[in-house]
Amino acid sequence: MMTMSFRESSGWAMGGLMLAMAAWYFGRLGLAAWQPGGSLPVGMLIAYLFLTIAGSIIVQLLLAIINRREAASPADEREAAATARAVSWAGHLLTTCVVTALLWFIGHGDGMMLFHSLFAGLLASQALLHLGTAWLLRRGF
Amino acid sequence: MPPPPPIGNRVRDLREARGNISQAQLGDAIGVTRHTIIAIEQGKYSPSLESAFRIARFFGVGVEDVFSWHG
């Protein structure tokens, strides 16, 4: 039976955390911040960063306590290959988001929209990196 | 599910024939996790050439006694 390894459970947990935090951030941001001339809610951005970092530490700590041995070991060849493939996917997604955001900026000149688009692309690529790694380890490749 | 790789293996049979060596023991011996041994046995992952040789050497047989090409 294929149980869940440390790196797979870490991937699902971190990907879930990234998506949850992104939903929280953009949900709170609301439509107002996307309007031209809207100000950047710096406080919320700092709160997002703090909560994401704290959440990541807690998740990794809990998973490491559950599976101390694997957490202390370096990734083996299968885990490294899965991560490399997911990194490639995340890179493609981030590139697509950056180019799209820049093209939007050229057309509309909205710096705030550019910032939020790039930030969203960064969050999406990070979530894809973690979830993609976990999915590849579960599915096989 | 992705199509299974065209490489079959007898890792599970050899483990059982050698006194039911655990997947964790085999993984430790060749430098991979227990989950990677499980993935190899289930045909979800084809190991690197280096790991294939390590597995064969662990069981004291040739690589082609462990792995076979079904392509």
Short mmCIF file of all heavy atoms in Angstrom, two decimals, chain A residues 59-131:
data_model
loop_
_atom_site.label_atom_id
_atom_site.label_comp_id
_atom_site.label_asym_id
_atom_site.label_seq_id
_atom_site.Cartn_x
_atom_site.Cartn_y
_atom_site.Cartn_z
N VAL A 59 3.34 24.13 9.78
CA VAL A 59 3.03 22.94 8.98
C VAL A 59 4.25 22.03 8.87
O VAL A 59 4.16 20.81 9.10
CB VAL A 59 2.55 23.37 7.57
CG1 VAL A 59 2.60 22.20 6.59
CG2 VAL A 59 1.13 23.91 7.64
N GLN A 60 5.40 22.62 8.55
CA GLN A 60 6.61 21.82 8.40
C GLN A 60 7.03 21.17 9.71
O GLN A 60 7.47 20.01 9.75
CB GLN A 60 7.76 22.69 7.88
CG GLN A 60 7.59 23.16 6.45
CD GLN A 60 7.53 21.99 5.46
OE1 GLN A 60 8.26 21.02 5.58
NE2 GLN A 60 6.65 22.09 4.49
N LEU A 61 6.84 21.92 10.80
CA LEU A 61 7.19 21.39 12.12
C LEU A 61 6.32 20.20 12.49
O LEU A 61 6.81 19.15 12.93
CB LEU A 61 7.02 22.52 13.16
CG LEU A 61 7.92 22.50 14.38
CD1 LEU A 61 9.38 22.56 13.96
CD2 LEU A 61 7.58 23.66 15.30
N LEU A 62 5.02 20.33 12.26
CA LEU A 62 4.09 19.23 12.58
C LEU A 62 4.41 17.99 11.74
O LEU A 62 4.44 16.87 12.25
CB LEU A 62 2.64 19.68 12.35
CG LEU A 62 2.09 20.70 13.34
CD1 LEU A 62 0.70 21.16 12.92
CD2 LEU A 62 2.06 20.12 14.75
N LEU A 63 4.64 18.21 10.45
CA LEU A 63 4.94 17.07 9.56
C LEU A 63 6.27 16.42 9.94
O LEU A 63 6.41 15.19 9.88
CB LEU A 63 4.97 17.53 8.10
CG LEU A 63 3.62 17.95 7.51
CD1 LEU A 63 3.80 18.53 6.12
CD2 LEU A 63 2.67 16.77 7.46
N ALA A 64 7.23 17.24 10.35
CA ALA A 64 8.54 16.70 10.73
C ALA A 64 8.44 15.89 12.02
O ALA A 64 9.14 14.90 12.20
CB ALA A 64 9.54 17.82 10.89
N ILE A 65 7.56 16.31 12.93
CA ILE A 65 7.36 15.56 14.17
C ILE A 65 6.74 14.20 13.86
O ILE A 65 7.13 13.18 14.42
CB ILE A 65 6.47 16.37 15.15
CG1 ILE A 65 7.26 17.57 15.68
CG2 ILE A 65 5.98 15.49 16.30
CD1 ILE A 65 6.42 18.58 16.43
N ILE A 66 5.79 14.20 12.93
CA ILE A 66 5.12 12.94 12.55
C ILE A 66 6.10 11.99 11.87
O ILE A 66 6.08 10.80 12.09
CB ILE A 66 3.91 13.25 11.63
CG1 ILE A 66 2.85 14.01 12.40
CG2 ILE A 66 3.33 11.96 11.05
CD1 ILE A 66 1.76 14.59 11.53
N ASN A 67 6.95 12.53 10.99
CA ASN A 67 7.88 11.68 10.23
C ASN A 67 9.29 12.26 10.33
O ASN A 67 9.82 12.82 9.36
CB ASN A 67 7.42 11.59 8.77
CG ASN A 67 8.07 10.45 8.04
OD1 ASN A 67 9.10 9.92 8.48
ND2 ASN A 67 7.49 10.04 6.93
N ARG A 68 9.88 12.11 11.51
CA ARG A 68 11.15 12.75 11.81
C ARG A 68 12.28 12.25 10.89
O ARG A 68 13.10 13.00 10.42
CB ARG A 68 11.51 12.46 13.27
CG ARG A 68 12.43 13.46 13.88
CD ARG A 68 12.57 13.21 15.36
NE ARG A 68 11.33 13.52 16.08
CZ ARG A 68 11.23 13.53 17.39
NH1 ARG A 68 12.25 13.21 18.13
NH2 ARG A 68 10.09 13.83 17.98
N ARG A 69 12.28 10.95 10.62
CA ARG A 69 13.39 10.35 9.87
C ARG A 69 13.45 10.87 8.43
O ARG A 69 14.49 11.29 7.96
CB ARG A 69 13.20 8.83 9.88
CG ARG A 69 14.38 8.07 9.35
CD ARG A 69 14.31 6.61 9.80
NE ARG A 69 15.33 5.83 9.14
CZ ARG A 69 15.14 5.19 8.00
NH1 ARG A 69 13.96 5.23 7.41
NH2 ARG A 69 16.12 4.50 7.44
N GLU A 70 12.30 10.84 7.76
CA GLU A 70 12.28 11.32 6.36
C GLU A 70 12.52 12.81 6.28
O GLU A 70 13.13 13.29 5.33
CB GLU A 70 10.94 10.97 5.70
CG GLU A 70 10.90 9.58 5.12
CD GLU A 70 9.66 9.35 4.28
OE1 GLU A 70 9.23 10.27 3.57
OE2 GLU A 70 9.11 8.25 4.36
N ALA A 71 12.01 13.55 7.28
CA ALA A 71 12.19 15.00 7.26
C ALA A 71 13.66 15.38 7.36
O ALA A 71 14.08 16.39 6.80
CB ALA A 71 11.41 15.62 8.41
N ALA A 72 14.43 14.55 8.06
CA ALA A 72 15.85 14.86 8.25
C ALA A 72 16.71 14.37 7.08
O ALA A 72 17.88 14.74 6.99
CB ALA A 72 16.34 14.21 9.55
N SER A 73 16.12 13.56 6.20
CA SER A 73 16.89 13.01 5.07
C SER A 73 16.75 13.90 3.85
O SER A 73 15.70 14.53 3.65
CB SER A 73 16.37 11.61 4.72
OG SER A 73 16.36 10.80 5.85
N PRO A 74 17.80 13.96 3.03
CA PRO A 74 17.65 14.72 1.78
C PRO A 74 16.69 14.01 0.82
O PRO A 74 16.45 12.80 0.96
CB PRO A 74 19.08 14.73 1.21
CG PRO A 74 19.76 13.56 1.84
CD PRO A 74 19.13 13.35 3.17
N ALA A 75 16.17 14.75 -0.14
CA ALA A 75 15.25 14.15 -1.13
C ALA A 75 16.00 13.08 -1.92
O ALA A 75 17.16 13.26 -2.27
CB ALA A 75 14.74 15.24 -2.06
N ASP A 76 15.34 11.97 -2.18
CA ASP A 76 15.98 10.94 -3.00
C ASP A 76 15.74 11.24 -4.48
O ASP A 76 15.14 12.26 -4.83
CB ASP A 76 15.55 9.52 -2.58
CG ASP A 76 14.13 9.19 -3.01
OD1 ASP A 76 13.49 10.00 -3.71
OD2 ASP A 76 13.64 8.11 -2.64
N GLU A 77 16.20 10.34 -5.36
CA GLU A 77 16.16 10.64 -6.80
C GLU A 77 14.74 10.85 -7.33
O GLU A 77 14.51 11.71 -8.18
CB GLU A 77 16.85 9.52 -7.59
CG GLU A 77 16.19 8.15 -7.42
CD GLU A 77 16.86 7.09 -8.28
OE1 GLU A 77 18.09 7.00 -8.22
OE2 GLU A 77 16.12 6.37 -9.00
N ARG A 78 13.77 10.06 -6.83
CA ARG A 78 12.38 10.21 -7.31
C ARG A 78 11.79 11.53 -6.84
O ARG A 78 11.13 12.24 -7.61
CB ARG A 78 11.54 9.03 -6.80
CG ARG A 78 10.11 9.00 -7.32
CD ARG A 78 9.39 7.77 -6.80
NE ARG A 78 9.16 7.85 -5.37
CZ ARG A 78 8.00 8.17 -4.80
NH1 ARG A 78 6.94 8.39 -5.56
NH2 ARG A 78 7.88 8.24 -3.50
N GLU A 79 12.03 11.87 -5.57
CA GLU A 79 11.50 13.12 -5.04
C GLU A 79 12.15 14.32 -5.72
O GLU A 79 11.48 15.31 -6.03
CB GLU A 79 11.74 13.16 -3.53
CG GLU A 79 10.95 12.09 -2.78
CD GLU A 79 11.42 11.87 -1.35
OE1 GLU A 79 12.58 12.20 -1.04
OE2 GLU A 79 10.62 11.36 -0.56
N ALA A 80 13.46 14.22 -5.97
CA ALA A 80 14.16 15.33 -6.64
C ALA A 80 13.64 15.50 -8.07
O ALA A 80 13.47 16.63 -8.54
CB ALA A 80 15.65 15.06 -6.64
N ALA A 81 13.38 14.37 -8.75
CA ALA A 81 12.87 14.45 -10.13
C ALA A 81 11.46 15.05 -10.16
O ALA A 81 11.14 15.85 -11.05
CB ALA A 81 12.87 13.05 -10.76
N ALA A 82 10.63 14.67 -9.20
CA ALA A 82 9.27 15.22 -9.14
C ALA A 82 9.32 16.72 -8.87
O ALA A 82 8.60 17.50 -9.51
CB ALA A 82 8.46 14.51 -8.04
N THR A 83 10.19 17.12 -7.96
CA THR A 83 10.32 18.55 -7.65
C THR A 83 10.83 19.32 -8.87
O THR A 83 10.32 20.40 -9.17
CB THR A 83 11.29 18.75 -6.46
OG1 THR A 83 10.80 18.01 -5.34
CG2 THR A 83 11.39 20.21 -6.08
N ALA A 84 11.80 18.74 -9.57
CA ALA A 84 12.34 19.43 -10.75
C ALA A 84 11.27 19.63 -11.81
O ALA A 84 11.18 20.69 -12.43
CB ALA A 84 13.51 18.61 -11.32
N ARG A 85 10.41 18.62 -11.99
CA ARG A 85 9.34 18.75 -12.99
C ARG A 85 8.33 19.81 -12.56
O ARG A 85 7.87 20.61 -13.37
CB ARG A 85 8.65 17.40 -13.19
CG ARG A 85 7.85 17.32 -14.46
CD ARG A 85 7.26 15.96 -14.69
NE ARG A 85 8.28 14.95 -15.04
CZ ARG A 85 7.97 13.77 -15.57
NH1 ARG A 85 6.71 13.45 -15.79
NH2 ARG A 85 8.92 12.91 -15.86
N ALA A 86 7.99 19.81 -11.26
CA ALA A 86 7.03 20.79 -10.75
C ALA A 86 7.62 22.21 -10.81
O ALA A 86 6.89 23.17 -11.08
CB ALA A 86 6.63 20.44 -9.32
N VAL A 87 8.91 22.33 -10.56
CA VAL A 87 9.58 23.64 -10.67
C VAL A 87 9.46 24.16 -12.10
O VAL A 87 9.20 25.35 -12.33
CB VAL A 87 11.07 23.53 -10.25
CG1 VAL A 87 11.86 24.74 -10.72
CG2 VAL A 87 11.19 23.39 -8.74
N SER A 88 9.61 23.25 -13.06
CA SER A 88 9.49 23.64 -14.47
C SER A 88 8.07 24.15 -14.77
O SER A 88 7.89 25.19 -15.39
CB SER A 88 9.83 22.45 -15.35
OG SER A 88 9.52 22.72 -16.69
N TRP A 89 7.06 23.43 -14.31
CA TRP A 89 5.66 23.87 -14.50
C TRP A 89 5.45 25.24 -13.86
O TRP A 89 4.84 26.13 -14.47
CB TRP A 89 4.69 22.88 -13.87
CG TRP A 89 4.64 21.54 -14.51
CD1 TRP A 89 5.15 21.19 -15.74
CD2 TRP A 89 4.07 20.34 -13.97
NE1 TRP A 89 4.92 19.86 -15.98
CE2 TRP A 89 4.26 19.31 -14.93
CE3 TRP A 89 3.42 20.03 -12.78
CZ2 TRP A 89 3.82 18.01 -14.72
CZ3 TRP A 89 2.97 18.74 -12.57
CH2 TRP A 89 3.18 17.74 -13.53
N ALA A 90 5.94 25.38 -12.62
CA ALA A 90 5.74 26.64 -11.89
C ALA A 90 6.44 27.79 -12.64
O ALA A 90 5.91 28.90 -12.71
CB ALA A 90 6.28 26.51 -10.47
N GLY A 91 7.59 27.51 -13.20
CA GLY A 91 8.32 28.52 -13.96
C GLY A 91 7.54 28.97 -15.19
O GLY A 91 7.47 30.16 -15.50
N HIS A 92 6.95 28.00 -15.89
CA HIS A 92 6.14 28.33 -17.07
C HIS A 92 4.93 29.20 -16.67
O HIS A 92 4.60 30.16 -17.36
CB HIS A 92 5.66 27.06 -17.77
CG HIS A 92 6.75 26.33 -18.51
ND1 HIS A 92 7.51 26.92 -19.49
CD2 HIS A 92 7.22 25.07 -18.41
CE1 HIS A 92 8.40 26.06 -19.95
NE2 HIS A 92 8.24 24.92 -19.30
N LEU A 93 4.29 28.81 -15.58
CA LEU A 93 3.11 29.56 -15.12
C LEU A 93 3.51 30.99 -14.74
O LEU A 93 2.83 31.95 -15.11
CB LEU A 93 2.46 28.84 -13.94
CG LEU A 93 1.25 29.55 -13.32
CD1 LEU A 93 0.11 29.69 -14.36
CD2 LEU A 93 0.73 28.80 -12.10
N LEU A 94 4.61 31.11 -13.99
CA LEU A 94 5.05 32.44 -13.56
C LEU A 94 5.41 33.30 -14.77
O LEU A 94 5.04 34.48 -14.82
CB LEU A 94 6.26 32.30 -12.62
CG LEU A 94 6.80 33.59 -12.02
CD1 LEU A 94 5.71 34.31 -11.23
CD2 LEU A 94 7.99 33.32 -11.11
N THR A 95 6.09 32.70 -15.73
CA THR A 95 6.45 33.44 -16.94
C THR A 95 5.21 33.94 -17.67
O THR A 95 5.13 35.09 -18.10
CB THR A 95 7.28 32.54 -17.89
OG1 THR A 95 8.43 32.07 -17.18
CG2 THR A 95 7.74 33.30 -19.12
N THR A 96 4.22 33.04 -17.79
CA THR A 96 2.97 33.42 -18.47
C THR A 96 2.29 34.57 -17.73
O THR A 96 1.82 35.54 -18.36
CB THR A 96 2.02 32.20 -18.52
OG1 THR A 96 2.69 31.13 -19.19
CG2 THR A 96 0.73 32.53 -19.26
N CYS A 97 2.26 34.48 -16.40
CA CYS A 97 1.61 35.53 -15.61
C CYS A 97 2.36 36.86 -15.74
O CYS A 97 1.73 37.92 -15.87
CB CYS A 97 1.56 35.12 -14.13
SG CYS A 97 0.42 33.79 -13.80
N VAL A 98 3.68 36.81 -15.71
CA VAL A 98 4.48 38.04 -15.81
C VAL A 98 4.26 38.70 -17.17
O VAL A 98 4.01 39.92 -17.26
CB VAL A 98 5.98 37.74 -15.58
CG1 VAL A 98 6.84 38.93 -15.97
CG2 VAL A 98 6.24 37.38 -14.12
N VAL A 99 4.33 37.91 -18.24
CA VAL A 99 4.17 38.47 -19.59
C VAL A 99 2.76 39.05 -19.75
O VAL A 99 2.57 40.15 -20.27
CB VAL A 99 4.45 37.38 -20.66
CG1 VAL A 99 4.06 37.88 -22.04
CG2 VAL A 99 5.93 37.00 -20.64
N THR A 100 1.76 38.30 -19.25
CA THR A 100 0.37 38.78 -19.34
C THR A 100 0.21 40.09 -18.57
O THR A 100 -0.42 41.05 -19.05
CB THR A 100 -0.59 37.71 -18.78
OG1 THR A 100 -0.38 36.49 -19.47
CG2 THR A 100 -2.05 38.14 -18.96
N ALA A 101 0.78 40.14 -17.35
CA ALA A 101 0.67 41.34 -16.53
C ALA A 101 1.36 42.53 -17.20
O ALA A 101 0.84 43.66 -17.18
CB ALA A 101 1.28 41.08 -15.15
N LEU A 102 2.51 42.29 -17.80
CA LEU A 102 3.24 43.38 -18.46
C LEU A 102 2.49 43.88 -19.69
O LEU A 102 2.42 45.09 -19.94
CB LEU A 102 4.65 42.92 -18.83
CG LEU A 102 5.60 42.70 -17.65
CD1 LEU A 102 6.92 42.09 -18.11
CD2 LEU A 102 5.86 44.00 -16.91
N LEU A 103 1.90 42.94 -20.44
CA LEU A 103 1.11 43.35 -21.61
C LEU A 103 -0.10 44.18 -21.18
O LEU A 103 -0.45 45.17 -21.80
CB LEU A 103 0.66 42.12 -22.41
CG LEU A 103 1.78 41.39 -23.18
CD1 LEU A 103 1.23 40.11 -23.81
CD2 LEU A 103 2.38 42.30 -24.25
N TRP A 104 -0.72 43.75 -20.08
CA TRP A 104 -1.87 44.50 -19.53
C TRP A 104 -1.42 45.89 -19.12
O TRP A 104 -2.10 46.89 -19.38
CB TRP A 104 -2.45 43.74 -18.33
CG TRP A 104 -3.61 44.44 -17.69
CD1 TRP A 104 -3.56 45.42 -16.73
CD2 TRP A 104 -4.99 44.27 -18.01
NE1 TRP A 104 -4.81 45.85 -16.41
CE2 TRP A 104 -5.72 45.17 -17.18
CE3 TRP A 104 -5.69 43.45 -18.89
CZ2 TRP A 104 -7.10 45.24 -17.21
CZ3 TRP A 104 -7.07 43.54 -18.91
CH2 TRP A 104 -7.76 44.42 -18.09
N PHE A 105 -0.24 45.98 -18.51
CA PHE A 105 0.28 47.27 -18.06
C PHE A 105 0.56 48.19 -19.25
O PHE A 105 0.27 49.38 -19.21
CB PHE A 105 1.56 47.06 -17.24
CG PHE A 105 2.17 48.33 -16.75
CD1 PHE A 105 1.57 49.07 -15.74
CD2 PHE A 105 3.35 48.81 -17.31
CE1 PHE A 105 2.12 50.25 -15.29
CE2 PHE A 105 3.91 49.99 -16.85
CZ PHE A 105 3.30 50.72 -15.85
N ILE A 106 1.11 47.61 -20.31
CA ILE A 106 1.39 48.41 -21.51
C ILE A 106 0.10 48.99 -22.06
O ILE A 106 0.02 50.15 -22.47
CB ILE A 106 2.11 47.55 -22.58
CG1 ILE A 106 3.55 47.26 -22.13
CG2 ILE A 106 2.13 48.26 -23.94
CD1 ILE A 106 4.26 46.22 -22.99
N GLY A 107 -0.95 48.17 -22.04
CA GLY A 107 -2.24 48.59 -22.59
C GLY A 107 -2.99 49.56 -21.71
O GLY A 107 -3.69 50.44 -22.20
N HIS A 108 -2.90 49.39 -20.39
CA HIS A 108 -3.74 50.17 -19.48
C HIS A 108 -2.97 51.12 -18.57
O HIS A 108 -3.56 52.02 -17.97
CB HIS A 108 -4.58 49.22 -18.62
CG HIS A 108 -5.56 48.41 -19.41
ND1 HIS A 108 -5.19 47.26 -20.09
CD2 HIS A 108 -6.88 48.59 -19.67
CE1 HIS A 108 -6.25 46.76 -20.71
NE2 HIS A 108 -7.28 47.55 -20.48
N GLY A 109 -1.66 50.88 -18.40
CA GLY A 109 -0.85 51.78 -17.57
C GLY A 109 -1.24 51.77 -16.10
O GLY A 109 -1.03 52.77 -15.40
N ASP A 110 -1.81 50.68 -15.64
CA ASP A 110 -2.26 50.60 -14.25
C ASP A 110 -1.21 49.86 -13.40
O ASP A 110 -1.14 48.63 -13.40
CB ASP A 110 -3.60 49.86 -14.22
CG ASP A 110 -4.20 49.80 -12.82
OD1 ASP A 110 -3.51 50.21 -11.86
OD2 ASP A 110 -5.35 49.34 -12.68
N GLY A 111 -0.43 50.64 -12.67
CA GLY A 111 0.65 50.06 -11.88
C GLY A 111 0.16 49.17 -10.75
O GLY A 111 0.78 48.16 -10.41
N MET A 112 -0.99 49.57 -10.15
CA MET A 112 -1.54 48.77 -9.05
C MET A 112 -1.98 47.39 -9.55
O MET A 112 -1.75 46.36 -8.90
CB MET A 112 -2.73 49.51 -8.45
CG MET A 112 -3.21 48.93 -7.14
SD MET A 112 -1.93 48.93 -5.87
CE MET A 112 -1.71 50.67 -5.61
N MET A 113 -2.60 47.40 -10.72
CA MET A 113 -3.02 46.14 -11.33
C MET A 113 -1.81 45.27 -11.66
O MET A 113 -1.84 44.05 -11.47
CB MET A 113 -3.83 46.42 -12.61
CG MET A 113 -4.36 45.19 -13.28
SD MET A 113 -5.59 44.39 -12.27
CE MET A 113 -6.29 43.26 -13.46
N LEU A 114 -0.75 45.93 -12.12
CA LEU A 114 0.49 45.20 -12.44
C LEU A 114 1.02 44.52 -11.18
O LEU A 114 1.36 43.33 -11.20
CB LEU A 114 1.53 46.16 -13.01
CG LEU A 114 2.91 45.55 -13.27
CD1 LEU A 114 2.85 44.52 -14.38
CD2 LEU A 114 3.92 46.64 -13.64
N PHE A 115 1.05 45.27 -10.07
CA PHE A 115 1.56 44.70 -8.82
C PHE A 115 0.74 43.49 -8.40
O PHE A 115 1.29 42.42 -8.09
CB PHE A 115 1.53 45.76 -7.71
CG PHE A 115 1.91 45.20 -6.37
CD1 PHE A 115 3.24 45.09 -6.02
CD2 PHE A 115 0.94 44.77 -5.48
CE1 PHE A 115 3.60 44.55 -4.79
CE2 PHE A 115 1.29 44.22 -4.25
CZ PHE A 115 2.63 44.13 -3.91
N HIS A 116 -0.57 43.65 -8.37
CA HIS A 116 -1.43 42.55 -7.91
C HIS A 116 -1.37 41.35 -8.85
O HIS A 116 -1.43 40.20 -8.40
CB HIS A 116 -2.87 43.03 -7.74
CG HIS A 116 -3.04 43.98 -6.60
ND1 HIS A 116 -2.60 43.69 -5.33
CD2 HIS A 116 -3.57 45.23 -6.54
CE1 HIS A 116 -2.88 44.70 -4.52
NE2 HIS A 116 -3.45 45.66 -5.24
N SER A 117 -1.27 41.60 -10.15
CA SER A 117 -1.18 40.50 -11.11
C SER A 117 0.11 39.71 -10.91
O SER A 117 0.10 38.48 -10.93
CB SER A 117 -1.22 41.04 -12.54
OG SER A 117 -2.40 41.76 -12.76
N LEU A 118 1.21 40.44 -10.72
CA LEU A 118 2.49 39.76 -10.49
C LEU A 118 2.46 38.99 -9.18
O LEU A 118 2.96 37.86 -9.10
CB LEU A 118 3.64 40.78 -10.49
CG LEU A 118 3.93 41.46 -11.82
CD1 LEU A 118 5.05 42.49 -11.65
CD2 LEU A 118 4.31 40.45 -12.89
N PHE A 119 1.85 39.58 -8.17
CA PHE A 119 1.77 38.92 -6.87
C PHE A 119 0.92 37.65 -6.97
O PHE A 119 1.29 36.59 -6.44
CB PHE A 119 1.19 39.89 -5.84
CG PHE A 119 1.37 39.45 -4.42
CD1 PHE A 119 2.64 39.17 -3.92
CD2 PHE A 119 0.29 39.32 -3.57
CE1 PHE A 119 2.82 38.76 -2.61
CE2 PHE A 119 0.46 38.91 -2.26
CZ PHE A 119 1.72 38.63 -1.77
N ALA A 120 -0.19 37.76 -7.69
CA ALA A 120 -1.07 36.60 -7.88
C ALA A 120 -0.33 35.50 -8.65
O ALA A 120 -0.45 34.31 -8.33
CB ALA A 120 -2.33 37.01 -8.62
N GLY A 121 0.44 35.91 -9.65
CA GLY A 121 1.20 34.93 -10.43
C GLY A 121 2.24 34.22 -9.57
O GLY A 121 2.44 33.01 -9.69
N LEU A 122 2.86 34.98 -8.68
CA LEU A 122 3.86 34.40 -7.78
C LEU A 122 3.21 33.38 -6.84
O LEU A 122 3.73 32.27 -6.64
CB LEU A 122 4.52 35.52 -6.97
CG LEU A 122 5.71 35.14 -6.10
CD1 LEU A 122 6.85 34.59 -6.95
CD2 LEU A 122 6.18 36.33 -5.30
N LEU A 123 2.04 33.75 -6.29
CA LEU A 123 1.35 32.83 -5.38
C LEU A 123 0.90 31.57 -6.13
O LEU A 123 1.04 30.45 -5.62
CB LEU A 123 0.12 33.52 -4.77
CG LEU A 123 0.37 34.77 -3.93
CD1 LEU A 123 -0.91 35.23 -3.28
CD2 LEU A 123 1.43 34.51 -2.87
N ALA A 124 0.37 31.77 -7.33
CA ALA A 124 -0.12 30.62 -8.11
C ALA A 124 1.03 29.68 -8.46
O ALA A 124 0.89 28.45 -8.38
CB ALA A 124 -0.81 31.11 -9.39
N SER A 125 2.18 30.26 -8.82
CA SER A 125 3.31 29.40 -9.19
C SER A 125 3.84 28.63 -7.98
O SER A 125 4.24 27.47 -8.09
CB SER A 125 4.42 30.22 -9.86
OG SER A 125 5.04 31.06 -8.93
N GLN A 126 3.83 29.27 -6.81
CA GLN A 126 4.27 28.58 -5.60
C GLN A 126 3.32 27.44 -5.24
O GLN A 126 3.74 26.35 -4.85
CB GLN A 126 4.35 29.57 -4.43
CG GLN A 126 5.58 30.45 -4.48
CD GLN A 126 6.87 29.65 -4.44
OE1 GLN A 126 7.13 28.94 -3.49
NE2 GLN A 126 7.65 29.73 -5.50
N ALA A 127 2.01 27.72 -5.38
CA ALA A 127 1.02 26.67 -5.09
C ALA A 127 1.19 25.51 -6.07
O ALA A 127 1.15 24.33 -5.68
CB ALA A 127 -0.40 27.24 -5.18
N LEU A 128 1.42 25.83 -7.35
CA LEU A 128 1.61 24.78 -8.36
C LEU A 128 2.87 23.97 -8.06
O LEU A 128 2.88 22.74 -8.25
CB LEU A 128 1.69 25.40 -9.76
CG LEU A 128 1.89 24.41 -10.91
CD1 LEU A 128 0.72 23.42 -10.99
CD2 LEU A 128 2.04 25.14 -12.25
N LEU A 129 3.91 24.63 -7.62
CA LEU A 129 5.15 23.93 -7.29
C LEU A 129 4.90 22.85 -6.22
O LEU A 129 5.28 21.69 -6.39
CB LEU A 129 6.20 24.94 -6.79
CG LEU A 129 7.44 24.37 -6.11
CD1 LEU A 129 8.23 23.48 -7.05
CD2 LEU A 129 8.32 25.49 -5.59
N HIS A 130 4.22 23.24 -5.15
CA HIS A 130 3.99 22.30 -4.05
C HIS A 130 2.98 21.21 -4.44
O HIS A 130 3.21 20.02 -4.22
CB HIS A 130 3.50 23.06 -2.81
CG HIS A 130 4.54 23.94 -2.21
ND1 HIS A 130 5.68 23.44 -1.64
CD2 HIS A 130 4.64 25.29 -2.11
CE1 HIS A 130 6.42 24.44 -1.19
NE2 HIS A 130 5.82 25.57 -1.48
N LEU A 131 1.85 21.65 -5.02
CA LEU A 131 0.80 20.67 -5.37
C LEU A 131 1.27 19.76 -6.50
O LEU A 131 0.95 18.57 -6.52
CB LEU A 131 -0.49 21.40 -5.76
CG LEU A 131 -1.16 22.19 -4.63
CD1 LEU A 131 -2.35 22.99 -5.15
CD2 LEU A 131 -1.62 21.25 -3.51
#
